[in-house]
Amino acid sequence: MESACVHEQTTVVHELTQGIEMAKQLRLNLDSAEAREFLIEKILSSYDKALFVLKSAGQPRASPLPESSLPKSSITTSSPQSTEYEFEFGQNVASKKRKASTPWDNEVKILSDNEIEGNANDGYSWRKYGQKDILGAKFPRSYYKCSYRKVQKCLATKQVQKTDEDPTVFEITYRGIHTCNGVAQSALPPPPSPEKHEIKPTHHHHQLTTPNAGENFSNPRANLTVNTWDLGCTLPSSHSIPPTVFEFNDNDFHPLNFPNHFDEELLQGYSPSFISPATSESNYFTDWASSSSLDLPKDAADLFPDFMS
DNA sequence: CAGATTTGACCTCA
DNA sequence: TGAGGTCAAATCTG
């Protein structure tokens, strides 16, 4: 099962990456005893799960790891309903017509059966700018661009289209790279340097079927629930799409911050940039935390006021 | 009233 | 020339 292998690799890398980011956070929050405990718990949880996945990797199993079999962290989420995403990496997967001319250097295609009108809560704020009937397609295609296109010159766009076979399944195609931070520039540190967010079009096409990288968060608005093994409080419900994808080479793989800069946000800690006041989702974390059976430290709000408010 | 959405017109390219 | 993608004015919504 190659896809399962990829899945496990992704999960492990995600967990380890998360552990690193948490450790960075820990370094920044050494002064606070509560923060220390909270972050240590998260780090241990991440590595626990990474180890668990690695140990499980060699064992045969017919289906993805059941949630119940996974190590429990101090932060848990509910809802077993799963959403499948199918990723397709490469150049201009969807656009055949303008393949040679489009400036996009990356594209991610996702199939989701659990979106509301394809309005995925992917952590970014989108503005619909067009809808078009597509030849041969039963349903029109909707065009979205980043709400911060003008303010931050963010060129990320996405296309959402119901599939012919199943109107409840949406094909979401992400194009371009988010160069925005999700909020107005004035309120934030400068966007990450381009080199830090360099996305290389991969020549290897991989299809990943989630639960991927341990998502398990529910979307109270869209009734969207993704099984997740981890992420805990680091991932609001709005991130219905794995925020970090990986470019797999023959022997290694590198995390790429696409389509979301989730890792970057993690890196910045629970910074205000994580919660975009301007986004249509208004307050990801609040929704997420209130809708999930989270076992957050009672003083989490004090530890991370930006995160919680 | 500001921001988001809708929708017809326009642009680009194969 | 037609299809896909984008623009922008009109309209809607909170």
Side-chain angles (χ1 to χ4, degrees), chain A residues 5-308:
Chain A
C5 182
V6 168
H7 175 209
E8 284 154 1
Q9 283 184 317
T10 304
T11 302
V12 170
V13 170
H14 181 88
E15 289 296 341
L16 293 177
T17 303
Q18 211 174 318
I20 291 170
E21 306 312 339
M22 289 295 172
K24 288 175 182 173
Q25 277 303 304
L26 180 60
R27 188 165 55 190
L28 296 175
N29 290 280
L30 282 174
D31 295 338
S32 165
E34 294 118 326
R36 276 204 308 267
E37 276 196 31
F38 179 75
L39 291 166
I40 288 170
E41 184 70 21
K42 286 295 302 171
I43 293 167
L44 289 174
S45 170
S46 285
Y47 282 102
D48 262 355
K49 288 168 187 172
L51 272 173
F52 180 85
V53 172
L54 282 174
K55 288 175 182 174
S56 310
Q59 300 170 4
R61 56 184 160 84
S63 57
L65 291 169
E67 191 179 350
S68 60
S69 70
L70 290 163
K72 295 291 179 191
S73 73
S74 62
I75 296 169
T76 60
T77 56
S78 59
S79 191
Q81 185 184 355
S82 69
T83 294
E84 285 198 345
Y85 294 104
E86 187 174 324
F87 291 82
E88 194 171 323
F89 302 94
Q91 281 187 291
N92 303 304
V93 174
S95 177
K96 297 167 183 171
K97 191 125 180 121
R98 302 197 176 190
K99 193 170 186 174
S101 62
T102 44
W104 312 114
D105 53 1
N106 61 71
E107 188 169 285
V108 176
K109 185 186 282 186
I110 296 167
L111 288 180
S112 169
D113 62 357
N114 237 333
E115 303 287 347
I116 286 196
E117 293 303 312
N119 191 16
N121 282 330
D122 50 19
Y124 283 97
S125 181
W126 300 98
R127 170 177 291 190
K128 187 174 182 177
Y129 67 89
Q131 182 171 305
K132 194 86 178 174
D133 286 324
I134 301 301
L135 195 72
K138 287 181 186 174
F139 306 100
R141 178 179 297 166
S142 297
Y143 298 89
Y144 298 83
K145 56 188 172 187
C146 181
S147 295
Y148 308 107
R149 193 180 186 89
K150 282 186 179 179
V151 179
Q152 298 186 29
K153 293 178 180 158
C154 179
L155 296 178
T157 66
K158 74 170 179 180
Q159 301 173 358
V160 176
Q161 186 170 17
K162 288 180 184 177
T163 59
D164 291 346
E165 305 77 36
D166 186 351
T168 65
V169 176
F170 293 89
E171 180 178 302
I172 306 171
T173 304
Y174 290 86
R175 301 170 78 183
I177 304 165
H178 273 286
T179 55
C180 66
N181 281 321
V183 294
Q185 187 96 358
S186 58
L188 282 172
S193 59
E195 54 273 17
K196 200 168 190 175
H197 285 265
E198 181 184 1
I199 305 290
K200 287 178 263 180
T202 173
H203 300 297
H204 307 267
H205 287 222
H206 295 274
Q207 295 206 331
L208 306 179
T209 300
T210 55
N212 179 33
E215 297 90 355
N216 186 358
F217 36 87
S218 61
N219 182 334
R221 286 186 49 185
N223 256 342
L224 171 63
T225 304
V226 181
N227 275 342
T228 183
W229 304 341
D230 66 54
L231 299 184
C233 71
T234 62
L235 187 59
S237 65
S238 55
H239 286 76
S240 57
I241 292 161
T244 302
V245 297
F246 302 89
E247 179 185 33
F248 293 91
N249 296 321
D250 290 331
N251 298 315
D252 60 351
F253 41 79
H254 312 286
L256 298 172
N257 293 320
F258 183 82
N260 289 343
H261 296 157
F262 175 71
D263 290 330
E264 190 65 30
E265 287 164 336
L266 262 179
L267 232 152
Q268 291 166 1
Y270 307 102
S271 69
S273 68
F274 198 84
I275 300 167
S276 164
T279 175
S280 59
E281 307 306 327
S282 69
N283 192 329
Y284 297 132
F285 184 79
T286 313
D287 282 354
W288 159 73
S290 63
S291 65
S292 306
S293 56
L294 294 173
D295 186 17
L296 288 172
K298 57 181 179 296
D299 49 1
D302 294 327
L303 297 176
F304 308 105
D306 289 330
F307 208 162
M308 302 295 288

